[in-house]
Amino acid sequence: MVKSGYSYVSQTFKQHEESYQSEYWKRMIKLRRGPTTIRLEHPTNVARARSLGYRAKQGYVVAVTKVRRGTLHKIRPKMGRKPANLGVRRITPKKSLKWIAEERTAKKFTNLEVLNSYKIGSDGRSHFFEVILVDPNHPVIKNDPKINWIGQSNNHSRVYRGLTSAGKKSRGLHRKGKGTEKIRPSLRANRNLH
């Protein structure tokens, strides 16, 4: 079987050098020092972006978003209670950090819809995700039968309703069959049925 060119690109990206003064090392420093969300001209990992729906044409936008590592940072209560009931440490969100990154990017680019995202790296403080966004009102997107579904009214603000891949995974919708009877249509809706 003949390998495609993007499979070699993907293989090269997986084997990138993370040592001192490497390109990966320099990119992480640049991202750490920069703002939370940065728009890019081209995706960092082209093969991964293309596999998730990105195409090098008008209407597609790529942005990098920084999300802090670790559990939630809660304010310590001032009134008296047992230390065990303070609820400060070890509190995790029910959303994945990837979903949080997608929501923050959508908040920055209000006229675009989130298509998908992937992780490009992390350091001791933050995770960095590349988010692919699409302009549903762009003429090129409207005339493309493969992507014009994103302009339909039921896909408006899809990231906030958990309709992206990261959102569906956090909602448990990547699982099927036995043991998933109470997941669909959603945990909250299913709770009200019984």
Side-chain angles (χ1 to χ4, degrees):
M1 189 174 83
V2 180
K3 281 175 127 181
S4 68
Y6 285 110
S7 65
Y8 288 105
V9 172
S10 179
Q11 189 178 350
T12 314
F13 196 85
K14 283 176 187 172
Q15 295 170 350
H16 57 60
E17 185 67 37
E18 295 187 24
S19 60
Y20 180 68
Q21 292 289 353
S22 66
E23 286 299 316
Y24 178 84
W25 186 82
K26 289 173 185 173
R27 190 189 306 129
M28 287 296 109
I29 289 176
K30 193 175 178 183
L31 290 173
R32 187 188 307 135
R33 289 177 177 169
T36 304
T37 304
I38 311 165
R39 182 174 173 171
L40 300 179
E41 290 294 321
H42 308 287
T44 309
N45 188 347
V46 183
R48 182 68 179 132
R50 278 183 63 86
S51 70
L52 295 175
Y54 172 80
R55 295 294 177 268
K57 56 167 67 175
Q58 291 179 329
Y60 285 87
V61 175
V62 180
V64 178
T65 300
K66 175 172 52 177
V67 183
R68 59 102 192 98
R69 291 178 74 146
T71 55
L72 291 173
H73 297 271
K74 304 285 278 188
I75 297 171
R76 190 179 175 89
K78 291 180 180 177
M79 301 304 287
R81 66 197 72 193
K82 290 197 301 184
N85 295 335
L86 285 171
V88 177
R89 296 191 199 174
R90 297 176 189 163
I91 296 173
T92 55
K94 293 192 176 178
K95 295 179 184 179
S96 65
L97 294 181
K98 191 195 251 189
W99 189 2
I100 292 170
E102 289 178 355
E103 286 183 335
R104 288 182 185 174
T105 312
K107 201 173 179 183
K108 176 114 177 160
F109 302 96
T110 52
N111 62 322
L112 306 178
E113 293 292 341
V114 174
L115 181 63
N116 223 319
S117 64
Y118 55 95
K119 188 177 175 181
I120 57 167
S122 60
D123 58 17
R125 194 183 287 177
S126 309
H127 291 292
F128 301 97
F129 297 95
E130 241 171 52
V131 182
I132 304 164
L133 303 114
V134 180
D135 185 357
N137 299 312
H138 199 285
V140 176
I141 300 299
K142 281 184 174 180
N143 294 326
D144 189 349
K146 290 185 178 177
I147 193 64
N148 60 8
W149 56 266
I150 206 159
Q152 295 171 1
S153 59
N154 60 335
N155 285 308
H156 181 66
S157 300
R158 64 196 298 266
V159 67
Y160 300 115
R161 297 183 289 128
L163 299 181
T164 60
S165 183
K168 284 182 179 178
K169 188 176 181 183
S170 289
R171 291 164 60 205
L173 297 179
H174 282 339
R175 293 172 58 207
K176 290 182 179 178
K178 190 176 178 182
T180 62
E181 293 83 1
K182 295 185 179 179
I183 286 176
R184 288 171 181 82
S186 70
L187 293 173
R188 199 171 290 166
N190 206 294
R191 180 186 66 196
N192 295 334
L193 290 174
H194 297 86

